[in-house]
Amino acid sequence: MNEHIEQTKSEVLDAAKQMIRTGLVAAVWGNVSARVPGTDLVVITPSGVEYETLTLEMLCVLDMGTGQMVEGTLKPSSESPLHLAVYRARGDVFGVMHTHSTYASAFSCARQEIPPLIEDLAQVCGGPVSVADYALPGSEDVGRNVVESLGTKGAVLMANHGVVGVGNTVSEALRVCQIVEKGAQICAIAKSIGEPVLLSDEDVTWLREKYTTVYGQQKER
């Protein structure tokens, strides 16, 4: 088990550093987690630590069922209840990332969903990126609202807050958050040019299915 925990920690650390380096968050905001394969354990980033200074030893390990910390010395992210709620609701999810990227957050403040204008957004999200009802950060309501609006899709907006992206790995969750931000930028630009034309529901369903079943290389978990 220790080997799986250490591997998961490495994946979370890498995703967290990519998150800050690619501009998905600023300073200490946002958070990243991953489920340890074959266990009910979740590795998550600590609260209020600069990502560039983050080390493996600073990461926290939580029990998914109880939410109690089983390894680590720092306080876990205040959004731990959100991450755990997603894992409990979605057995297919092994990585969760919460970001505050600029364009996607702007859509969350306008309480407008990001439509599937482009193929990659349709592939990673499986439809429009909906807006979950607002709740105060760190509250149990945040998790409930996110799970309800997320459904079986790959991402959701948190009203007046930011983005939650999920995936079968934490690197996939990072990819989702990057594509959501790109999709939000494209949508904003397209609206300034004219009326965007959406992909059909049938095309979105086909793109999502192909992405989740045959796209990329076979991965074992």
Side-chain angles (χ1 to χ4, degrees), residues 100-187:
H100 295 172
S101 57
T102 303
Y103 280 81
S105 295
F107 273 84
S108 81
C109 291
R111 308 283 177 100
Q112 291 185 20
E113 68 180 21
I114 304 170
L117 291 175
I118 52 173
E119 291 180 343
D120 51 9
L121 187 64
Q123 288 171 325
V124 303
C125 293
V129 186
S130 304
V131 185
D133 291 341
Y134 181 78
L136 290 172
S139 68
E140 295 293 337
D141 286 340
V142 170
R144 281 192 289 269
N145 293 349
V146 163
V147 165
E148 181 179 353
S149 292
L150 178 65
T152 61
K153 293 190 289 189
V156 66
L157 298 177
M158 299 166 67
N160 298 85
H161 195 150
V163 182
V164 174
V166 305
N168 56 11
T169 65
V170 69
S171 60
E172 171 70 9
L174 169 65
R175 176 190 290 179
V176 169
C177 290
Q178 290 172 324
I179 296 302
V180 168
E181 176 61 10
K182 173 174 170 274
Q185 292 183 45
I186 290 172
C187 185

Side-chain angles (χ1 to χ4, degrees), residues 60-139:
C60 308
V61 182
L62 307 179
D63 182 288
M64 191 173 70
T66 65
Q68 296 299 308
M69 190 159 73
V70 298
E71 185 179 320
T73 58
L74 298 180
K75 182 171 67 174
S77 169
S78 60
E79 295 292 7
S80 295
L82 159 64
H83 290 250
L84 296 178
V86 173
Y87 290 122
R88 291 167 187 154
R90 292 276 300 271
D92 60 314
V93 169
F94 279 80
V96 176
M97 179 173 284
H98 166 47
T99 70
H100 295 172
S101 57
T102 303
Y103 280 81
S105 295
F107 273 84
S108 81
C109 291
R111 308 283 177 100
Q112 291 185 20
E113 68 180 21
I114 304 170
L117 291 175
I118 52 173
E119 291 180 343
D120 51 9
L121 187 64
Q123 288 171 325
V124 303
C125 293
V129 186
S130 304
V131 185
D133 291 341
Y134 181 78
L136 290 172
S139 68

Side-chain angles (χ1 to χ4, degrees), residues 183-207:
Q185 292 183 45
I186 290 172
C187 185
I189 294 169
K191 285 184 175 183
S192 73
I193 297 170
E195 184 62 33
V197 178
L198 305 185
L199 293 169
S200 70
D201 291 343
E202 292 78 11
D203 287 341
V204 170
T205 299
W206 187 91
L207 288 163

